[in-house]
């Protein structure tokens, strides 16, 4: 069997063809040629499909989930097949079949021979390569498929990062705000060759946020602490004395665009020594901790509070001498109290060895009192758990005589938590701590081992203090980690003074998966689309028309519309020449002649007026035979549907077409003129139309935000006659749906599946999806099990075997994780044969459609699938894993 090297492709929706004429994945079979061009045993159209590696650039030490499936000629799970499959990796490639990810290899758990049968037609495992260069994975079968084999060749690369990507020097601080944006502070002066003076902001996907710019030299020295501030602002502390030439003595506040907030102005010289930690209180006041002893020439040892204008807050009562030495770390409790760690041994004359807690007004909290001598050495980092316990790391060996080598956990009253036992602990000092949502503890620092087990500069601990072996960092960072943070999406960002992580290039910054695997450098140049996909329309030849917010694909201009080839590459024969659409394309439809109808918020195409609706030729040029006379539609189009007679239904926010009243719905002739035979009675629909679905009899199903038609109640769903009048035979019983409809799907029996924001139909719970009979009544035979979907539906699409693809903002179905995408059976129950790999889609999709070869195209605002880059567009195989 021929094989093909895997290359980095522009979109992760490309199927790798190991046999050029074969339809999908790795095909293994015997005998003659069956449908799709794959060798099949005579009379048995069954083959093997390998998925998960297609279109990826395989990187050394990265972990890749892969699936081996027995499928029929259409790509469906094979029935009646029973075969033994043996997978043989080449030297340096390791298979992990224990379904725990790429952790330490355990020969007692791993296997490479599997049995596929009708009841278990697939197996999932993980692949990892420890070397670079050519490698391969061979599948051989016996049994129903005869004895044959197929080989997939891989080209394993070093992580594709170099020193031109990411920060150009040490990172000391990492912080994430409530929007998911990531702030970095340190000694760097550039990121991806863009000037950034020791502070920058990354988008949630790790790309540089150009909307936050230092616009000049930035800070003139190190930033050591960052804290997000209300209103999108950020507070930075360090040893700098100015920002873009304006004096700021070691503390400054920046606006959301990176400019200096001049309303927060430290009068005078500011702090006279380093600020190591910044804590923002709920009232907007800022507590600074550090090695300073003066603020504007006034004594304030190691701690001070500033008002919202940057002036010293005299109500923060540092009565007496304050801390005896520097304060290195601080954290805010839920009750407003502040836990402080450092080099001090007393606060205002009261003994507090290296850790103390202050009340919100700066007085010592005497209810937090260490027992005896407390910690034996100074604290460099601390973090507060959800249960109020405090994890501290630093240069100490014990607590009041009890061994605690460099890490300990304290109870809320300051006593030692004896349930956290670190054994021999770290062999070097922790520099940063972060608590994950599951309570596990991330540690970065100057250590190389924990309890005698290798842990090079980064580790994760379980809640009892033991090393979490599932966080498999391999050789870890090449040198010190000064900052570590658990991100909202479950990944981890580490910054410091290192150049690589587990053998992969990662200068000064690394992003790790939940398993500790290096998955990305935040500075890596983005490929694919540059913004969200809102709608997808499939052509008969399988190519896909995309519409949305995007303007570029791999740097090539594609303003709001593009056509993709079957392999995921941009179809350059479809050229939106010039400026393209002037604004977002939110709705698409493909005519039988290949022309494309587009609707959205635009008012022009390549400079020619086309107000909210336009028709393009099959090559992407403007169709001059479709011409609006006058002003066209006066507001946005949200939905488009084509009738059999070539007329075009449009729905949205608009209220007129060329000055003629058409409230939220209109029908347009094939030449672009208004169809006067479709006319609403009276005021028509009273709010937006989001979904349109023409029936075979010419009637039109309409869904949206409206609640009435010409004053007649029609809550969120209605049917219109072919002339635009209300169909009185279609009416919801009682109060009907209780919120908006975003999508409508007409089934072959005339019933309607509707999705949206609603949670009830006439008082009956229907969590965001329901089926309605032809007369508008609720169909009780369509009954999602349990609690159903936990959030809104944005799109519905017909899938094979009467199944229904559903996408939206939901993350679970009946309590089972289904991140933003699920497939339902015809009765509304979850299709258990469809399951996303790992954490699946990383954010919300707007649209999902099934292709002719039963794959699934998904578009939206997501940027990854199971931590693999998939920018705004992904293709999945029929079982739900990435194609």
């Amino acid at each position: 069997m021929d094989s093909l090297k895997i290359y980095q492709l522009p979109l992760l929706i490309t199927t790798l063809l190991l046999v050029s004429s074969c339809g999908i994945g790795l095909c293994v079979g015997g005998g003659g040629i069956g449908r799709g061009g794959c060798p099949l045993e005579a009379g048995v159209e069954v083959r093997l499909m390998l998925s998960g590696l297609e279109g990826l650039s395989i990187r050394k030490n990265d972990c890749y989930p892969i699936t081996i499936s027995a499928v029929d000629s259409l790509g469906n799970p094979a029935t009646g097949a029973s075969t033994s499959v043996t997978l043989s990796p080449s030297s340096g490639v390791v298979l992990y079949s224990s379904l725990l990810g790429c952790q330490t290899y355990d020969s007692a758990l791993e296997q490479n021979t599997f049995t596929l049968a009708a009841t278990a037609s697939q197996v999932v495992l993980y692949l990892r390569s420890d070397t670079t260069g050519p490698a391969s994975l061979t599948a051989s079968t016996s049994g129903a498929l005869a004895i044959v084999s197929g080989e997939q060749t891989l080209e394993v690369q070093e992580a594709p990062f170099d020193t031109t990507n990411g920060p150009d020097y040490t990172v000391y601080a990492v912080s994430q705000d409530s929007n998911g944006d990531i702030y970095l502070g340190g000694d760097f002066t550039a990121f991806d060759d863009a000037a950034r003076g020791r502070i920058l902001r990354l988008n949630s996907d790790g790309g540089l946020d150009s909307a936050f710019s230092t616009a000049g030299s930035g800070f003139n020295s190190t930033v050591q602490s960052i804290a997000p501030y209300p209103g999108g602002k950020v507070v930075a502390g360090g040893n700098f004395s100015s920002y873009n030439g304006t004096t700021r003595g070691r503390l400054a506040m920046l606006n959301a665009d990176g400019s200096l907030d001049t309303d927060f102005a430290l009068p005078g010289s500011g702090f006279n020594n380093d600020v190591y930690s910044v804590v923002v209180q709920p009232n907007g006041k800022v507590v600074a901790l550090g090695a300073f002893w003066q603020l504007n020439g006034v004594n304030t040892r190691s701690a001070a509070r500033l008002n919202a204008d940057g002036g010293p807050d005299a109500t923060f009562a540092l009565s007496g001498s304050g801390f005896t030495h520097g304060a290195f770390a601080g954290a805010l409790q839920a009750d407003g109290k502040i836990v402080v760690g450092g080099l001090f041994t007393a606060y205002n004359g009261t003994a507090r060895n290296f850790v103390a807690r202050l009340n919100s007004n700066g007085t010592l909290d005497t209810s937090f009192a260490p027992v005896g001598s407390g910690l034996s050495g100074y604290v460099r980092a601390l973090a507060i758990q959800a249960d109020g316990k405090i994890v501290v790391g630093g240069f100490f060996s014990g607590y009041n005589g009890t061994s605690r080598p460099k890490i300990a956990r304290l109870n809320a009253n300051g006593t030692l938590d004896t349930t956290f036992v670190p054994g021999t602990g770290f062999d070097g000092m922790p520099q940063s701590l972060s608590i994950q949502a599951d309570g596990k503890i991330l540690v970065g620092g100057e250590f190389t081992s924990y309890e005698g087990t290798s842990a090079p500069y980064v580790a994760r601990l379980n809640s009892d203090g033991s090393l979490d072996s599932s966080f498999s960092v391999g050789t870890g960072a090449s040198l010190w980690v000064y900052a570590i943070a658990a991100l909202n999406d479950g990944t981890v960002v580490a910054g410091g003074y290192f150049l690589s992580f587990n053998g992969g290039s990662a200068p000064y910054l690394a992003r790790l998966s939940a398993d500790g695997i290096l998955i990305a450098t935040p500075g890596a140049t983005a490929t694919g689309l540059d913004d969200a996909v809102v709608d997808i329309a499939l052509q008969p030849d399988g190519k896909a028309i995309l519409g949305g917010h995007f303007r570029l694909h791999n740097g090539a201009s594609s303003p709001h519309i593009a056509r993709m080839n079957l392999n995921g590459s941009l179809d350059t024969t479809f050229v939106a020449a010039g400026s393209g659409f002037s604004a977002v394309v939110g709705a698409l439809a493909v005519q039988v002649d290949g022309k494309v109808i587009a609707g959205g918020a635009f008012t022009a195409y390549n400079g020619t007026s086309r107000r909210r609706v336009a028709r393009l030729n099959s090559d992407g040029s403007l169709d001059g035979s479709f011409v609006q006379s006058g002003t066209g539609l006066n507001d946005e189009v949200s939905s488009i549907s084509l009738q059999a007679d070539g007329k075009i239904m449009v729905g949205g926010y608009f209220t007129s077409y060329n000055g003629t009243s058409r409230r939220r719905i209109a029908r347009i002739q094939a030449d672009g003129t208004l169809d006067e035979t479709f006319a609403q009675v009276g005021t028509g629909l009273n709010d937006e139309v989001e979904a349109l679905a023409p029936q075979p009899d010419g009637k039109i199903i309409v869904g949206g935000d409206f609640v009435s038609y010409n004053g007649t109640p029609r809550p969120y769903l209605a049917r219109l006659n072919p002339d635009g009048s209300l169909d009185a035979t279609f009416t919801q019983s009682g109060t009907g749906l209780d919120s908006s409809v975003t999508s409508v799907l007409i089934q072959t029996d005339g019933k309607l599946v509707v999705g949206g924001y609603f949670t009830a139909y006439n008082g009956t719970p229907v969590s965001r999806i329901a089926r309605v009979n032809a007369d508008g009544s609720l169909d009780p035979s369509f009954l999602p099990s349990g609690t159903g979907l936990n959030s809104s539906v944005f799109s519905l699409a017909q899938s094979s075997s009467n199944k229904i693809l559903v996408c939206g903002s939901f993350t679970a179905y009946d309590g089972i994780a289904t991140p933003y995408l699920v497939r339902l059976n015809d009765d509304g129950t979850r299709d258990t044969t469809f399951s996303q790999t790992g954490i699946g889609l990383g954010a919300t999709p707007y649209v999902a459609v099934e292709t002719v070869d039963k794959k699934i195209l998904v578009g939206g605002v997501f940027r990854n699938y199971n931590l693999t880059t998939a920018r705004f567009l992904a293709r999945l195989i029929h079982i739900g894993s990435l194609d």
Side-chain angles (χ1 to χ4, degrees):
M1 174 171 281
D2 295 332
S3 59
L4 183 68
K5 185 180 294 185
I6 296 181
Y7 293 97
Q8 177 66 46
L9 295 173
L11 281 178
L12 301 183
I13 62 170
T14 301
T15 299
L16 178 68
L17 304 183
L18 276 301
V19 176
S20 60
S21 60
C22 178
I24 46 178
L26 171 67
C27 299
V28 178
I33 301 297
R35 283 186 293 172
C38 294
L40 302 170
E41 185 178 0
V44 182
E45 294 193 353
V46 177
R47 54 188 171 178
L48 286 185
M49 179 174 68
L50 182 149
S51 59
L53 300 178
E54 303 88 344
L56 296 181
S57 176
I58 307 300
R59 300 197 303 257
K60 175 184 174 183
N61 294 321
D62 278 7
C63 184
Y64 299 92
I66 58 175
T67 302
I68 293 287
S69 306
V71 297
D72 63 19
S73 60
L74 296 179
N76 294 318
T79 58
S82 179
T83 187
S84 175
V85 181
T86 300
L87 300 175
S88 302
S90 62
S91 177
V93 177
V94 183
L95 295 180
Y96 300 76
S97 61
S98 58
L99 297 184
L100 297 175
C102 293
Q103 300 171 17
T104 303
Y105 187 85
D106 187 341
S107 58
L109 295 176
E110 316 302 339
Q111 55 181 316
N112 69 337
T113 299
F114 310 91
T115 298
L116 300 182
T119 56
S121 59
Q122 70 175 44
V123 61
V124 179
L125 62 158
Y126 292 84
L127 175 147
R128 183 177 178 182
S129 177
D130 298 325
T131 61
T132 58
S136 63
L137 182 64
T138 301
S140 59
T141 68
S142 61
L145 300 185
I147 300 175
V148 291
S149 65
E151 181 183 32
Q152 177 152 357
T153 299
L154 315 175
E155 179 70 23
V156 183
Q157 305 172 3
E158 288 283 0
F161 317 133
D162 57 51
T163 54
T164 62
N165 285 329
D168 64 350
Y169 204 50
T170 312
V171 172
Y172 286 108
V174 175
S175 182
Q176 187 174 39
D177 66 14
S178 58
N179 296 323
D181 294 328
I182 304 161
Y183 290 90
L184 304 182
D187 266 335
F188 51 82
T189 57
F191 186 95
D192 273 358
D193 299 327
R196 287 297 184 272
R198 300 176 175 87
I199 190 169
L200 59 85
R201 186 171 66 203
L202 304 177
N203 298 312
S204 57
D205 68 344
L208 183 65
D209 185 352
S210 59
F212 183 91
S213 173
T214 54
S217 57
F219 289 109
N220 67 335
S221 192
T222 310
V223 170
Q224 294 171 325
S225 180
I226 294 175
Y229 192 86
K233 299 180 180 182
V234 62
V235 182
N239 65 2
F240 51 82
S241 60
S242 68
Y243 183 83
N244 283 344
T246 300
T247 298
R248 283 297 183 269
R250 299 178 173 88
L251 188 73
M253 186 179 293
L254 306 184
N255 294 310
D257 62 358
S259 62
L260 186 66
D261 182 0
T262 55
D263 292 332
F264 185 89
L266 278 72
S269 58
F271 293 99
N272 70 330
N273 210 335
D274 291 6
V275 171
Y276 288 118
S277 183
V278 177
V279 176
V280 176
Q281 294 184 302
N283 60 6
K285 295 186 177 184
V286 178
V287 177
L289 303 168
F292 54 84
W293 60 91
Q294 287 185 340
L295 173 59
N296 296 330
V298 177
N299 288 343
T300 175
R301 185 164 296 273
S302 302
R305 186 166 68 188
L306 301 108
N307 295 311
D309 63 358
D313 182 5
T315 67
F316 191 76
L318 283 172
S319 55
S321 56
F323 289 111
T324 54
H325 291 91
F328 297 142
L332 185 70
Q333 291 189 165
D335 59 3
K337 295 181 178 181
I338 305 165
V339 181
V340 183
L343 191 60
F344 54 84
T345 55
Y347 182 80
N348 288 343
T350 301
R352 285 295 184 271
N353 284 340
F354 313 115
V355 64
R357 187 165 64 200
L358 307 184
N359 295 309
S360 61
N361 63 358
T363 59
L364 185 66
D365 178 10
T366 56
S367 69
F368 182 89
V371 174
S373 58
L375 293 167
S376 61
Y378 68 85
V379 170
R380 188 65 185 85
L382 62 85
I384 300 174
Q385 296 185 167
D387 60 4
K389 293 182 178 182
I390 302 154
V391 182
V392 293
F395 199 72
F396 52 81
S397 59
Y399 180 98
N400 197 32
T402 301
S403 176
R404 286 295 184 271
K406 300 181 178 63
I407 191 165
R409 188 166 65 198
L410 309 182
N411 295 309
N413 62 1
T415 60
L416 184 67
D417 179 5
T418 57
T419 67
F420 182 90
V421 183
T424 57
F426 290 107
D427 66 343
M429 187 170 63
Q431 292 280 350
S432 182
L433 296 166
S434 182
I435 309 298
Q436 294 189 164
D438 60 2
K440 292 184 178 182
I441 304 158
L442 291 165
V443 190
E446 299 175 349
F447 52 84
T448 59
S449 69
Y450 182 80
E451 291 193 283
T453 299
S454 177
Y457 309 108
V458 64
R460 186 167 67 193
L461 308 184
N462 296 310
S463 60
D464 63 357
S466 60
L467 185 66
D468 181 6
S469 59
S470 70
F471 192 73
S472 180
V473 300
T475 58
S478 58
L479 209 53
W480 309 309
V481 172
Y482 290 129
I484 196 163
L487 301 186
N488 301 338
D489 62 0
T491 61
V492 177
V493 166
Y497 185 70
F498 54 83
L499 295 177
S500 65
F501 192 94
N502 198 18
S505 178
Y508 311 110
L509 187 68
R511 190 166 187 173
L512 313 178
S513 71
D515 296 327
I517 307 300
L518 181 67
I519 57 172
T521 274
T525 301
T527 58
L529 297 165
D530 68 333
D531 210 336
V533 171
V534 179
D535 200 13
I536 300 173
L538 297 176
Q539 295 186 168
D541 62 2
K543 292 184 179 182
I545 307 292
L546 312 180
H549 295 273
F550 58 86
R551 297 190 61 84
L552 299 172
H553 180 275
N554 284 351
S557 179
S558 297
H560 306 294
I561 193 166
R563 184 164 66 195
M564 313 306 292
N565 294 311
L566 297 178
N567 66 357
S569 62
L570 186 69
D571 182 358
T572 57
T573 67
F574 184 89
V575 181
S579 56
F581 284 109
S582 60
V584 63
V585 172
L588 292 165
V590 177
Q591 296 184 166
V592 293
D593 60 1
K595 293 184 178 182
V596 179
I597 306 295
F602 54 84
T603 58
Y605 184 82
N606 287 341
T608 301
S609 178
R610 285 296 185 272
R611 303 184 69 83
R612 285 92 187 188
V613 65
R615 187 166 65 201
L616 307 183
N617 295 310
S618 60
D619 62 357
S621 61
L622 188 65
D623 181 3
S625 68
F626 183 90
V627 182
Q628 298 167 334
S629 56
T631 56
L633 294 164
N634 69 336
D635 210 338
E636 186 173 346
V637 169
S638 304
S639 53
I640 293 176
S641 187
L642 302 180
Q643 294 189 169
D645 59 2
K647 294 181 179 181
I648 303 156
M649 296 296 309
V650 292
Y653 292 92
F654 56 85
T655 57
S656 69
Y657 184 92
N658 287 345
T660 301
S661 178
R662 285 296 183 271
R663 301 183 66 82
R664 285 93 187 189
I665 190 169
R667 189 164 64 199
I668 300 173
Q669 305 273 15
D671 62 358
T673 58
L674 184 66
D675 182 2
E676 300 285 356
T677 67
F678 183 89
Q680 298 160 316
V681 177
T683 56
L685 296 162
N686 72 328
D687 210 335
E688 183 196 6
V689 169
E690 296 192 58
L692 292 171
Q695 294 186 167
D697 61 1
K699 294 182 178 182
I700 302 106
I701 303 296
V702 186
D705 295 332
F706 56 84
V707 294
S708 67
Y709 180 94
N710 198 23
T712 301
R714 283 297 184 272
Y716 312 107
L717 186 67
R719 186 166 64 198
L720 306 184
N721 292 310
D723 63 358
S725 61
L726 186 66
D727 180 4
T729 67
F730 182 91
T731 177
Q732 300 175 58
S733 56
T735 56
L737 295 165
D738 65 347
S739 193
S740 303
V741 169
T742 58
S743 187
V744 175
L745 181 64
I746 299 180
Q747 297 188 305
T748 54
D749 59 2
K751 293 182 179 181
L752 316 174
V753 181
V754 294
Y757 291 81
F758 53 84
T759 58
Y761 180 99
N762 198 22
T764 300
V766 284
S767 54
R768 288 93 183 183
I769 191 168
R771 187 160 62 198
V772 178
N773 294 311
D775 61 359
S777 62
L778 186 66
D779 179 7
S781 69
F782 185 89
L783 189 62
S785 58
T787 55
L789 298 166
N790 66 342
S791 193
S792 306
V793 168
F794 295 155
S795 173
L796 300 172
Q798 189 67 57
S799 182
S800 53
S801 304
N802 292 322
K803 294 180 180 182
I804 304 162
L805 279 173
V806 186
C807 72
S809 60
F810 54 84
T811 56
Y813 181 94
D814 197 17
I816 297 171
T818 54
Y820 313 110
L821 180 66
V822 69
R823 190 166 64 196
L824 304 182
N825 296 311
D826 188 53
D827 60 359
T829 58
R830 184 174 66 90
D831 177 10
T832 57
T833 67
F834 179 89
S835 178
Q836 297 180 63
T837 305
I839 62 174
L841 289 168
T844 307
Y846 291 138
V847 59
V849 295
E850 186 176 86
T851 63
V852 291
D853 58 356
K854 295 184 171 46
K855 295 182 179 180
I856 300 163
L857 271 180
V858 188
V861 298
F862 55 86
R863 303 189 186 204
N864 60 73
Y865 179 96
N866 197 28
L867 306 180
T868 296
T869 299
R871 292 174 58 83
F872 311 110
L873 184 68
R875 187 166 68 187
L876 312 181
I877 63 173
H878 70 284
I879 58 175
S881 55
L882 192 65
D883 183 5

Coordinates of all heavy atoms in Angstrom, one line a residue, residues 735-736 759-767 778 783:
T735 N -49.6 28.7 25.7 CA -48.6 29.8 25.6 C -47.5 29.5 24.6 O -46.7 30.4 24.3 CB -48.0 30.1 27.0 OG1 -47.4 28.8 27.4 CG2 -49.0 30.6 27.9
G736 N -47.4 28.3 24.1 CA -46.4 27.9 23.1 C -45.0 27.9 23.7 O -44.8 27.7 24.9
T759 N -37.1 27.0 26.8 CA -36.9 25.9 27.8 C -38.3 25.2 28.0 O -38.4 24.2 28.8 CB -36.4 26.3 29.1 OG1 -37.2 27.4 29.7 CG2 -35.0 26.9 29.0
A760 N -39.4 25.7 27.4 CA -40.7 25.1 27.7 C -41.6 25.4 26.5 O -41.4 26.3 25.7 CB -41.3 25.6 28.9
Y761 N -42.5 24.4 26.3 CA -43.6 24.6 25.3 C -44.9 24.4 26.0 O -45.2 23.3 26.5 CB -43.5 23.6 24.2 CG -44.6 23.7 23.1 CD1 -44.3 24.3 21.9 CD2 -45.8 23.1 23.3 CE1 -45.3 24.4 20.9 CE2 -46.8 23.2 22.3 CZ -46.6 23.9 21.2 OH -47.6 23.9 20.2
N762 N -45.7 25.5 26.2 CA -46.9 25.5 26.9 C -46.8 24.9 28.3 O -47.6 24.1 28.7 CB -48.0 24.8 26.1 CG -49.4 25.1 26.6 OD1 -49.6 26.1 27.2 ND2 -50.3 24.2 26.3
G763 N -45.6 25.1 28.9 CA -45.4 24.6 30.3 C -44.7 23.3 30.3 O -44.2 22.9 31.4
T764 N -44.6 22.6 29.2 CA -43.9 21.3 29.2 C -42.4 21.6 28.9 O -42.0 22.3 27.9 CB -44.4 20.4 28.0 OG1 -45.8 20.2 28.3 CG2 -43.7 19.1 28.0
P765 N -41.5 21.1 29.8 CA -40.1 21.3 29.6 C -39.6 20.7 28.3 O -39.8 19.6 27.9 CB -39.4 20.6 30.8 CG -40.5 20.5 31.8 CD -41.8 20.3 31.0
V766 N -38.9 21.6 27.5 CA -38.3 21.2 26.2 C -37.0 21.9 26.1 O -36.9 23.0 25.6 CB -39.2 21.4 25.0 CG1 -40.3 20.4 24.9 CG2 -39.8 22.8 25.0
S767 N -35.9 21.4 26.7 CA -34.7 22.2 26.9 C -34.0 22.5 25.6 O -33.1 21.7 25.1 CB -33.7 21.4 27.8 OG -33.5 20.1 27.3
L778 N -47.1 20.2 20.0 CA -45.9 19.6 20.4 C -45.9 18.1 20.1 O -46.9 17.4 20.4 CB -45.6 19.8 21.9 CG -44.3 19.3 22.5 CD1 -43.1 20.1 21.9 CD2 -44.3 19.5 24.0
L783 N -38.5 13.2 22.7 CA -38.3 13.5 24.1 C -36.9 13.4 24.5 O -36.5 12.2 24.9 CB -39.3 12.7 25.0 CG -39.4 13.0 26.5 CD1 -40.0 14.4 26.6 CD2 -40.2 12.0 27.2

